[in-house]
Amino acid sequence: MSAVNIMPNAEQFQASLKEYVLIYTPDYSPLWLIVAGVLLVGMLLVLALHGFLRYRFATPHGGSHKEEKLYLYSKAVRLWHWSNASLFILLLLSGGINHFALLSAHDTALLVSVHEICGYLLLVCWLSFVLINLVGGNGKFYRIDGKNWLQRVLMQIRFYLYGIIKGEDHPFPATPNVKFNPLQQMAYLGVMYALVPLLLITGVLLQNPAFIPADAVTFKAWLLIAHQILAVCSVFFIIGHLYLCTTGKTPFQTFRSMVDGYHRH
């Protein structure tokens, strides 16, 4: 059902919304959503504690510290990054508001259109990301080096859990050839080459029911739930990503990298 078609009959749209969109209310919250909510609150508490410990035991940087800059993020990468981030925010907001029925029928119908348009724009954005990696040289940063891989991963985990709080130097500083540390590399690979494609595939299928057999009702229901779970996973990633971006020499040092392209350390 298209949002454009139902706009003149917004009340009918609201009444029939549950036929193809799961509406979550205090009276109906599936177990997976409750678990996700608990995990989200737990994650926020853990990050708050981690941030407090970083602040509490932070090592002051004297005036002699000289900030070094390394150009790592091209204009194409930065344009893709901000486009991708903006679309994700719009998709999460529009999808979340719709599934929790937070607005009127008319506004919900508008958000359905916003969600559809942003979904297709995200598909274009993802294809641009793949193209940048294939022809722009950015793909080399996503190739995992298997040599001592587990040891390097454990070193990075220790740094995040302990070393960063004590003010230790980063075990894997960014270089022109290695932009990401081992955990970043795995996370970005998983998100950009698994989570996002699955989100796009499930979204396109849900938006185009003709691709699914008419009698596959159970499949459609599970497809929608899978799409929502993937969206929740993206929320966890975004929160973790934003928090780790505050772990530079200053809270906003890393964010500046995606403005002017220079990694600072």
Side-chain angles (χ1 to χ4, degrees):
M1 183 182 297
S2 170
V4 176
N5 295 333
I6 52 82
M7 280 300 294
N9 302 296
E11 296 303 327
Q12 293 180 13
F13 163 71
Q14 183 72 5
S16 63
L17 191 61
K18 291 184 180 180
E19 295 181 8
Y20 65 101
V21 175
L22 290 174
I23 303 298
Y24 300 123
T25 67
D27 297 326
Y28 173 65
S29 296
L31 179 60
W32 75 264
L33 187 60
I34 295 173
V35 171
V38 171
L39 291 176
L40 180 59
V41 172
M43 179 182 186
L44 293 174
L45 291 174
V46 169
L47 293 182
L49 175 61
H50 191 273
F52 169 76
L53 293 175
R54 281 173 45 219
Y55 173 78
R56 174 66 177 79
F57 297 102
T59 302
H61 298 289
S64 60
H65 174 74
K66 183 178 180 181
E67 184 179 72
E68 297 182 14
K69 297 197 302 184
L70 182 65
Y71 189 75
L72 288 180
Y73 307 99
S74 66
K75 291 181 180 179
V77 169
R78 281 178 280 149
L79 176 61
W80 161 79
H81 180 275
W82 290 116
S83 300
N84 188 70
S86 300
L87 289 170
F88 252 99
I89 291 172
L90 288 172
L91 284 164
L92 289 170
L93 286 176
S94 59
I97 290 172
N98 286 344
H99 285 294
F100 286 95
L102 299 178
L103 297 178
S104 66
H106 183 273
D107 292 336
T108 299
L110 285 175
L111 283 181
V112 169
S113 293
V114 170
H115 199 77
E116 294 172 2
I117 293 170
C118 288
Y120 285 113
L121 288 176
L122 183 65
L123 174 59
V124 174
C125 193
W126 181 78
L127 292 174
S128 300
F129 168 80
V130 174
L131 184 63
I132 291 172
N133 284 347
L134 287 176
V135 303
N138 195 61
K140 67 181 180 181
F141 299 120
Y142 294 87
R143 300 190 189 105
I144 294 179
D145 180 7
K147 185 178 180 180
N148 299 321
W149 177 80
L150 181 58
Q151 180 182 358
R152 289 185 289 113
V153 167
L154 293 176
M155 287 176 62
Q156 187 62 44
I157 291 175
R158 179 198 173 278
F159 174 74
Y160 279 148
L161 294 179
Y162 178 78
I164 197 171
I165 295 173
K166 301 296 291 183
E168 296 178 4
D169 291 333
H170 201 295
F172 303 102
T175 70
N177 294 319
V178 183
K179 185 191 300 185
F180 307 128
N181 68 55
L183 288 183
Q184 283 179 315
Q185 196 175 48
M186 285 195 303
Y188 296 154
L189 268 174
V191 169
M192 294 311 303
Y193 288 102
L195 189 147
V196 173
L198 288 173
L199 264 174
L200 291 170
I201 291 170
T202 54
V204 169
L205 288 175
L206 290 167
Q207 179 57 31
N208 297 274
F211 294 161
I212 306 173
D215 57 348
V217 179
T218 302
F219 175 74
K220 291 179 183 178
W222 280 107
L223 192 66
L224 179 56
I225 293 174
H227 187 72
Q228 293 171 347
I229 291 176
L230 289 167
V232 170
C233 290
S234 71
V235 172
F236 282 95
F237 169 77
I238 291 171
I239 292 174
H241 179 62
L242 289 175
Y243 174 75
L244 289 176
C245 285
T246 68
T247 60
K249 299 296 183 183
T250 66
F252 298 102
Q253 185 185 59
T254 303
F255 292 100
R256 292 169 61 192
S257 300
M258 278 300 162
V259 176
D260 60 11
Y262 286 94
H263 172 80
R264 295 167 173 83
H265 57 277

